[in-house]
C-alpha cells in the first residue's frame, strides 16, 4: 500500500508535497507529480498538505482514480532506481495517459 498522485495534480504541480516528504519519493514529471511506490513510507504527510487533494492513499481511491496506482508506478518503469527526487530534479516526460490529457485553458 502506498500514496498516489491523481489527476487533480495535472498542470498544477504545487509541490507542497515535496517539501514535507521525509522519503523524498515525490518526483516531478512534465505535467504532474508522481510518487515512487517503492520509496513511499506511507506516512501521509504529502496528503495533508496537497492543496488540490490530488494525493490519496491507494486503499481509499474510488473507481475513477484507481488507474493512478498503475500510472504512478509506470512513471518509474525502465528508470534506474532513483535515489531521491530533490537531487534528480524535473523529469521532462509523463506516462502516456497524462501526456494525452487536454491542457487546461485559462
Amino acid at each position: 500500500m502506498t500514496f498516489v498522485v491523481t489527476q487533480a495534480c495535472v498542470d498544477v504541480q504545487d509541490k507542497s508535497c515535496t517539501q514535507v516528504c521525509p522519503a523524498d519519493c515525490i518526483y516531478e514529471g512534465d505535467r504532474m507529480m508522481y510518487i515512487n511506490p517503492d520509496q513511499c513510507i506511507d506516512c501521509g504527510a504529502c496528503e495533508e498538505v496537497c492543496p488540490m487533494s490530488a494525493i490519496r492513499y491507494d486503499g481509499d481511491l474510488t473507481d475513477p482514480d484507481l488507474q493512478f496506482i498503475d500510472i504512478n508506478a509506470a512513471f518509474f518503469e525502465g528508470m534506474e532506481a532513483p535515489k531521491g527526487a530533490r537531487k534528480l530534479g524535473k523529469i521532462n516526460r509523463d506516462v502516456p495517459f497524462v501526456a494525452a490529457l487536454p491542457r487546461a485553458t485559462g
Side-chain angles (χ1 to χ4, degrees), residues 8 11 22 27 35 46 53 63 66 68 70 79 85 91 103-104:
D11 295 329
Y27 293 77
I35 295 176
C46 56
S53 298
D63 260 358
L66 282 172
F68 282 90
D70 293 334
M79 285 178 66
I91 302 166
R103 292 200 179 260

Short mmCIF file of all heavy atoms in Angstrom, two decimals, residues 8 11 22 27 35 46 53 63 66 68 70 79 85 91 103-104:
data_model
loop_
_atom_site.label_atom_id
_atom_site.label_comp_id
_atom_site.label_asym_id
_atom_site.label_seq_id
_atom_site.Cartn_x
_atom_site.Cartn_y
_atom_site.Cartn_z
N ALA A 8 -5.95 15.30 -10.32
CA ALA A 8 -6.11 16.68 -9.84
C ALA A 8 -4.79 17.45 -9.83
O ALA A 8 -4.78 18.67 -9.78
CB ALA A 8 -6.74 16.69 -8.45
N ASP A 11 -1.13 19.61 -14.53
CA ASP A 11 -0.96 21.02 -14.89
C ASP A 11 -1.03 21.96 -13.69
O ASP A 11 -1.16 23.17 -13.86
CB ASP A 11 -1.96 21.45 -15.98
CG ASP A 11 -1.72 20.73 -17.30
OD1 ASP A 11 -0.55 20.39 -17.59
OD2 ASP A 11 -2.69 20.50 -18.03
N PRO A 22 9.37 12.94 3.92
CA PRO A 22 10.63 12.51 4.54
C PRO A 22 11.38 11.46 3.72
O PRO A 22 12.58 11.27 3.88
CB PRO A 22 10.20 11.93 5.89
CG PRO A 22 8.79 11.50 5.68
CD PRO A 22 8.21 12.47 4.67
N TYR A 27 8.29 12.75 -7.29
CA TYR A 27 9.07 13.21 -8.44
C TYR A 27 8.22 14.09 -9.35
O TYR A 27 7.02 13.86 -9.50
CB TYR A 27 9.60 12.01 -9.22
CG TYR A 27 10.61 11.22 -8.43
CD1 TYR A 27 10.22 10.37 -7.41
CD2 TYR A 27 11.96 11.35 -8.70
CE1 TYR A 27 11.15 9.65 -6.67
CE2 TYR A 27 12.91 10.63 -7.96
CZ TYR A 27 12.49 9.79 -6.96
OH TYR A 27 13.41 9.09 -6.22
N ILE A 35 4.47 9.66 -7.24
CA ILE A 35 5.05 9.06 -6.04
C ILE A 35 5.63 7.70 -6.41
O ILE A 35 4.94 6.85 -6.98
CB ILE A 35 4.01 8.91 -4.92
CG1 ILE A 35 3.55 10.30 -4.46
CG2 ILE A 35 4.58 8.09 -3.75
CD1 ILE A 35 2.46 10.28 -3.41
N CYS A 46 2.32 14.06 2.78
CA CYS A 46 2.04 14.70 1.48
C CYS A 46 0.55 14.93 1.29
O CYS A 46 0.12 15.97 0.78
CB CYS A 46 2.60 13.86 0.35
SG CYS A 46 2.00 12.15 0.31
N SER A 53 -5.94 18.27 -3.12
CA SER A 53 -6.40 16.95 -2.67
C SER A 53 -6.12 15.90 -3.75
O SER A 53 -6.90 14.97 -3.98
CB SER A 53 -7.89 16.97 -2.32
OG SER A 53 -8.12 17.85 -1.25
N ASP A 63 -13.28 4.39 -8.02
CA ASP A 63 -13.10 3.87 -9.37
C ASP A 63 -12.37 4.79 -10.34
O ASP A 63 -11.43 4.34 -10.98
CB ASP A 63 -14.45 3.47 -9.97
CG ASP A 63 -14.67 1.97 -9.89
OD1 ASP A 63 -13.77 1.25 -9.40
OD2 ASP A 63 -15.74 1.52 -10.33
N LEU A 66 -8.55 4.79 -9.47
CA LEU A 66 -7.80 3.54 -9.26
C LEU A 66 -6.67 3.36 -10.27
O LEU A 66 -5.62 2.83 -9.93
CB LEU A 66 -8.74 2.33 -9.32
CG LEU A 66 -9.58 2.08 -8.07
CD1 LEU A 66 -10.60 0.98 -8.33
CD2 LEU A 66 -8.69 1.73 -6.89
N PHE A 68 -4.61 5.38 -11.21
CA PHE A 68 -3.42 6.14 -10.85
C PHE A 68 -2.43 5.34 -9.98
O PHE A 68 -1.28 5.73 -9.84
CB PHE A 68 -3.80 7.48 -10.21
CG PHE A 68 -4.21 8.47 -11.27
CD1 PHE A 68 -5.53 8.56 -11.66
CD2 PHE A 68 -3.26 9.23 -11.92
CE1 PHE A 68 -5.90 9.43 -12.66
CE2 PHE A 68 -3.62 10.11 -12.93
CZ PHE A 68 -4.95 10.21 -13.31
N ASP A 70 -1.41 2.37 -10.96
CA ASP A 70 -0.54 1.90 -12.04
C ASP A 70 0.17 3.05 -12.75
O ASP A 70 1.31 2.91 -13.18
CB ASP A 70 -1.34 1.09 -13.06
CG ASP A 70 -1.84 -0.22 -12.48
OD1 ASP A 70 -1.22 -0.74 -11.52
OD2 ASP A 70 -2.87 -0.73 -12.96
N MET A 79 13.42 3.11 -15.49
CA MET A 79 14.38 4.07 -14.94
C MET A 79 15.34 3.34 -14.02
O MET A 79 14.95 2.39 -13.34
CB MET A 79 13.67 5.14 -14.08
CG MET A 79 12.93 6.18 -14.85
SD MET A 79 12.09 7.36 -13.75
CE MET A 79 13.47 8.17 -12.96
N ALA A 85 14.14 12.42 -5.19
CA ALA A 85 13.58 13.36 -6.15
C ALA A 85 14.30 14.70 -6.17
O ALA A 85 14.48 15.29 -7.22
CB ALA A 85 12.10 13.57 -5.82
N ILE A 91 11.76 15.66 -14.35
CA ILE A 91 11.89 14.67 -15.42
C ILE A 91 10.91 15.10 -16.51
O ILE A 91 9.70 15.11 -16.29
CB ILE A 91 11.56 13.26 -14.90
CG1 ILE A 91 12.49 12.90 -13.74
CG2 ILE A 91 11.65 12.24 -16.03
CD1 ILE A 91 12.06 11.71 -12.94
N ARG A 103 -4.90 20.00 -22.19
CA ARG A 103 -4.38 21.02 -21.29
C ARG A 103 -5.50 21.96 -20.89
O ARG A 103 -6.37 22.28 -21.70
CB ARG A 103 -3.25 21.81 -21.95
CG ARG A 103 -2.02 20.95 -22.16
CD ARG A 103 -0.78 21.78 -22.33
NE ARG A 103 0.38 20.93 -22.52
CZ ARG A 103 1.25 20.64 -21.55
NH1 ARG A 103 1.08 21.12 -20.36
NH2 ARG A 103 2.26 19.85 -21.79
N ALA A 104 -5.45 22.39 -19.63
CA ALA A 104 -6.44 23.34 -19.14
C ALA A 104 -6.26 24.67 -19.85
O ALA A 104 -5.13 25.11 -20.07
CB ALA A 104 -6.29 23.51 -17.64
#
